[in-house]
Amino acid sequence: MTQNNAPNDNVVVRFAPSPTGFLHIGGARTALFNWLYAKAKGGKFVLRIEDTDRERNSAEAVEAILDGLRWLELNWDGDPVSQYNRADRHRQVADELLATGNAYRCYLTQPELAAMREAAEEEKRSFRVVSPWRDRDPSEAPEDAPFVIRLRAPKEGQTIIKDHVQGEVTYANKDLDDLIILRSDGSPTYNLAVVVDDHDMGVTHVIRGVDHLTNAARQTQIYQLMGWQVPRWAHVPLIHGSDGAKLSKRHGALRAEAYRELGYLPVAMRNYLVRLGWSHGDDEVFSTDQLVEWFEIDAINKAPARFDIQKLEAINAHWIRNSDDDELFRRIEALLPYIPEGQRILKAFAAGAADKLRAFIPAMKERSKTLLDFLEGAKFLWAEHPLVYDDKAAKLLDGPTRELLGKLALNLQELPDWAAEPLEAEIRDFAETEGLKLGKIAQPLRAALTGTTVSPSIFDVMAVLGKDETLERLKQATAT
Ligand code: GLU
């Protein structure tokens, strides 16, 4: 950690979640912007867990946030810093501010504060604490009375935030009351802790939600009174739902890793998240390398972004089409522990279905928007006997058709080479001999082999199922 005042040319950014729950979409986007900026500038991306609220924080929440970041592949530098563990250092800075006269002990009592609030209400002006202890001689302090430490904030002039996203935002100092930096129990307040930590961690750029903009003004005052370099600010807009209302569960605004369970790829998720607020011409699809090359905080839009699950789906479909087959297979396998039927599929995988799915990936790629689509579309591969037919499939398998399939099965038995191409040649031949269109064979065949009426090419299906399993299913279909 650096503790000097020299401007830091090496970019250090941070993600500073409060572990009160999971990593939500907004947090994931903030983390991504920071991570990208660090990568783009060859800087560092550090993590600070703002765990000072002991009642609302939990170890599980920290783990959930780290898990979400890991899934998104937003790797951080060094170990996460616990804000709570740094309380002594925060107190030390509060003492320093006291010693330099930039902070003071305030003995205002609750009843006195309540009276001030009431007076403000009566006079219809906004409530601001004006502590008499700002100018009072400390020797007049009541003995053993509890006190807080307040910043002796400037009363004249302005505090200006030069924000990379929001532009120049000006606060009149007379509107900012003297911030409490240490509570009466000696615990540091949020704004003090953030400033001390960001300073000590050498943070050069603070990229976070616009809901922290007013905090930036307060924090600037602390930086200035400590004589520390103020970081550069970038306060990013909120995320709204596609209807323009603030994002909520109703919009499908789930915790970030919920998208893993829905079968989204991290690369697609990053691609989608970055577009929530940042743009590069009309481009929609970005590889991570392109993002790293092009990402700039100045290009983040000021207007709230809109979350649109259909767009996410389209981007995911793009990345599925453009992913390597082995990579997709690995992702599907890694997804299984997170989905309800995963354990059953893992068992089937161990019994041979894994190889079948791997072989089936090329046939499924174009028709899958999510990894769950692969599992859904390929589940006939590990279906147990007897195969269950859906209504449409059952309807196709009438008496004459079963007879036809029985005849075909006899031909297939003789086929020496079991692969998509010879299978296609054989079945086309069969259709011709029977004077039927190919579809008249392929559709019932599909019903018999998959239990449904939709699947990729039936020849691929047969090749992947293998000769024994295909013939077994045909036997069952013709026997019913
Ligand atoms: N802990 C704050 C939050 O989760 C972020 C603080 C910051 O980025 O400065 O909203």
Side-chain angles (χ1 to χ4, degrees):
M1 282 187 198
T2 61
Q3 294 202 9
N4 60 35
N5 297 340
N8 193 337
D9 290 331
N10 299 319
V11 165
V12 178
V13 288
R14 64 6 172 229
F15 178 50
S18 305
T20 50
F22 41 75
L23 176 68
H24 54 83
I25 284 296
R29 186 195 55 169
T30 300
L32 173 64
F33 282 170
N34 278 285
W35 180 85
L36 274 178
Y37 195 63
K39 294 274 165 257
K41 302 290 168 191
K44 270 195 188 151
F45 171 60
V46 293
L47 207 54
R48 180 172 69 242
I49 308 297
E50 305 212 312
D51 50 358
T52 51
D53 186 344
R54 305 311 277 174
E55 273 169 26
R56 292 177 64 219
N57 296 167
S58 70
E60 293 81 64
V62 174
E63 208 23 66
I65 291 169
L66 299 185
D67 186 39
L69 292 174
R70 282 190 205 106
W71 175 63
L72 286 167
E73 298 164 335
L74 303 179
N75 47 315
W76 55 90
D77 293 299
D79 290 330
V81 170
S82 154
Q83 187 159 67
Y84 178 72
N85 288 344
R86 293 182 33 83
D88 283 343
R89 168 70 179 142
H90 305 147
R91 278 189 282 272
Q92 189 192 351
V93 170
D95 284 343
E96 214 174 309
L97 285 162
L98 260 187
T100 53
N102 287 314
Y104 61 93
R105 292 191 177 88
C106 170
Y107 294 87
L108 272 176
T109 61
Q110 287 309 322
E112 284 170 327
L113 281 165
M116 278 187 191
R117 188 170 291 120
E118 242 169 64
E121 264 168 36
E122 257 167 43
E123 291 163 34
K124 293 201 168 31
R125 56 178 165 81
S126 54
F127 170 62
R128 231 165 279 123
V129 177
V130 181
S131 171
W133 295 98
R134 180 179 165 107
D135 301 315
R136 222 156 137 182
D137 191 328
S139 67
E140 292 172 27
E143 226 170 286
D144 294 334
F147 61 86
V148 298
I149 298 184
R150 285 187 190 272
L151 203 64
R152 198 185 295 279
K155 287 288 151 248
E156 320 251 289
Q158 296 169 325
T159 297
I160 297 172
I161 306 297
K162 288 193 180 133
D163 195 278
H164 281 271
V165 180
Q166 306 296 327
E168 201 168 285
V169 185
T170 304
Y171 291 85
N173 286 337
K174 66 176 173 43
D175 294 337
L176 300 170
D177 48 16
D178 288 349
L179 182 75
I180 298 178
I181 53 174
L182 221 58
R183 300 188 189 88
S184 57
D185 64 359
S187 62
T189 58
Y190 166 72
N191 279 307
L192 176 70
V194 168
V195 169
V196 175
D197 291 349
D198 280 342
H199 171 75
D200 287 359
M201 292 165 85
V203 169
T204 56
H205 295 69
V206 171
I207 307 170
R208 62 185 173 190
V210 72
D211 46 330
H212 287 285
L213 188 61
T214 311
N215 284 332
R218 306 227 172 247
Q219 292 168 8
T220 296
Q221 293 186 328
I222 304 178
Y223 279 106
Q224 285 170 344
L225 292 174
M226 282 304 291
W228 288 343
Q229 171 91 10
V230 183
R232 290 170 179 275
W233 309 108
H235 287 91
V236 304
L238 298 179
I239 303 175
H240 286 180
S242 50
D243 56 0
K246 200 169 174 258
L247 194 62
S248 71
K249 270 199 188 138
R250 184 165 61 82
H251 298 108
L254 304 163
R255 60 202 156 86
E257 344 85 88
Y259 292 91
R260 165 173 57 198
E261 289 145 47
L262 293 171
Y264 291 95
L265 296 173
V267 64
M269 204 65 203
R270 290 194 299 269
N271 186 157
Y272 180 67
L273 284 175
V274 80
R275 288 285 295 110
L276 290 174
W278 179 80
S279 48
H280 181 266
D282 290 332
D283 297 342
E284 285 294 347
V285 172
F286 301 92
S287 70
T288 303
D289 285 346
Q290 285 169 329
L291 286 178
V292 167
E293 192 182 332
W294 293 330
F295 185 74
E296 258 307 333
I297 46 179
D298 291 310
I300 296 174
N301 308 319
K302 212 166 141 179
R306 287 195 180 201
F307 187 82
D308 179 349
I309 191 97
Q310 267 144 16
K311 225 174 194 179
L312 169 59
E313 224 175 47
I315 288 181
N316 204 53
H318 168 91
W319 283 108
I320 283 182
R321 282 195 301 277
N322 288 280
S323 288
D324 172 79
D325 295 351
D326 285 328
E327 154 91 5
L328 282 174
F329 178 70
R330 269 197 308 278
R331 296 271 176 202
I332 294 171
E333 234 182 353
L335 167 67
L336 292 176
Y338 296 95
I339 61 172
E341 65 276 29
Q343 287 311 321
R344 203 176 54 77
I345 301 177
L346 274 171
K347 258 195 216 146
F349 268 31
D355 292 341
K356 288 188 177 148
L357 176 67
R358 172 64 191 83
F360 204 48
I361 283 181
M364 288 292 297
K365 241 167 136 171
E366 290 291 329
R367 42 200 304 137
S368 300
K369 288 197 175 106
T370 70
L371 297 180
L372 292 185
D373 290 347
F374 279 92
L375 293 171
E376 180 58 29
K379 71 179 182 204
F380 71 88
L381 289 176
W382 49 85
E384 280 160 21
H385 292 162
L387 188 66
V388 180
Y389 308 115
D390 68 21
D391 289 348
K392 282 190 196 157
K395 226 179 186 167
L396 278 177
L397 297 170
D398 56 14
T401 309
R402 291 211 298 263
E403 216 171 284
L404 192 70
L405 289 182
K407 217 162 156 191
L408 173 67
L410 290 177
N411 286 13
L412 292 175
Q413 211 140 24
E414 306 305 319
L415 198 72
D417 186 9
W418 196 269
E421 268 179 39
L423 280 163
E424 178 167 359
E426 176 70 20
I427 291 167
R428 281 187 187 281
D429 230 33
F430 179 77
E432 215 173 289
T433 316
E434 295 294 322
L436 291 169
K437 282 201 175 135
L438 182 64
K440 288 281 174 213
I441 311 280
Q443 261 317 72
L445 196 49
R446 173 170 287 123
L449 298 181
T450 71
T452 70
T453 49
V454 271
S455 80
S457 142
I458 193 63
F459 315 114
D460 286 333
V461 167
M462 295 169 86
V464 171
L465 269 180
K467 185 171 187 174
D468 291 349
E469 184 65 24
T470 301
L471 292 176
E472 176 59 31
R473 289 188 189 193
L474 280 178
K475 197 168 118 198
Q476 284 178 18
T478 49
T480 46

